[in-house]
Amino acid sequence: MTRPLSSVERSIRGRNGWLKEEERRAIESRGEVGRMEFWLRMTRTKITRDVKAGRGDVLPGFTSVCRLFMLAVDKRAEGDTRLWNHLMQYAQQVLEQHGPRH
């Protein structure tokens, strides 16, 4: 027998469901560009909230992630796909372990 979900667990499940649904709608509307724009909006909102909460280290963290992404894109354009492939593999592993459950 399973126990009932706590209010925090229900809230997380509801949020994950909402994210999944909004992402689906963004894809239906604009394809992969819509998905990207959705996640950029969500990230911008999260960064703003973290800064207001006194966690300003989110700014250099996001900057580093963006710089890493740009470096991987540039290397791939030059014909070296190793960094891109490693970045995508790592992202997939992290999302599988820590991302919302589908």
Side-chain angles (χ1 to χ4, degrees), residues 36 47 65:
M36 177 202 60
I47 289 170
V65 168

Side-chain angles (χ1 to χ4, degrees), residues 1-48:
M1 189 164 140
T2 60
R3 66 173 177 74
L5 297 176
S6 70
S7 63
V8 171
E9 291 168 328
R10 283 192 311 275
S11 176
I12 290 169
R13 183 176 280 181
R15 172 112 172 118
N16 289 344
W18 180 84
L19 286 170
K20 204 168 135 178
E21 177 62 20
E22 290 299 311
E23 181 182 38
R24 183 191 64 74
R25 289 176 48 197
I27 293 167
E28 283 181 1
S29 172
R30 301 221 17 201
E32 287 299 316
V33 171
R35 181 194 310 238
M36 177 202 60
E37 290 170 345
F38 168 72
W39 286 110
L40 283 173
R41 282 191 308 275
M42 295 303 300
T43 301
R44 181 177 169 192
T45 299
K46 184 70 149 169
I47 289 170
T48 300

Side-chain angles (χ1 to χ4, degrees), residues 9 11 13 25 27 31 36 39 42 48 52 58-59 63 66-67 74 76-77 84 88 90 100 102:
E9 291 168 328
S11 176
R13 183 176 280 181
R25 289 176 48 197
I27 293 167
M36 177 202 60
W39 286 110
M42 295 303 300
T48 300
K52 286 180 182 177
V58 71
L59 295 170
T63 300
C66 288
R67 290 180 64 204
D74 290 345
R76 185 175 68 164
W84 177 262
M88 294 300 102
Y90 181 67
H102 294 272

Side-chain angles (χ1 to χ4, degrees), residues 57-71:
D57 61 338
V58 71
L59 295 170
F62 182 71
T63 300
S64 293
V65 168
C66 288
R67 290 180 64 204
L68 172 61
F69 183 80
M70 291 299 297
L71 178 62

Side-chain angles (χ1 to χ4, degrees), residues 68 71-73 75 80-88:
L68 172 61
L71 178 62
V73 168
K75 291 286 187 183
D80 183 358
T81 61
R82 290 175 298 168
L83 181 57
W84 177 262
N85 292 338
H86 290 159
L87 184 60
M88 294 300 102

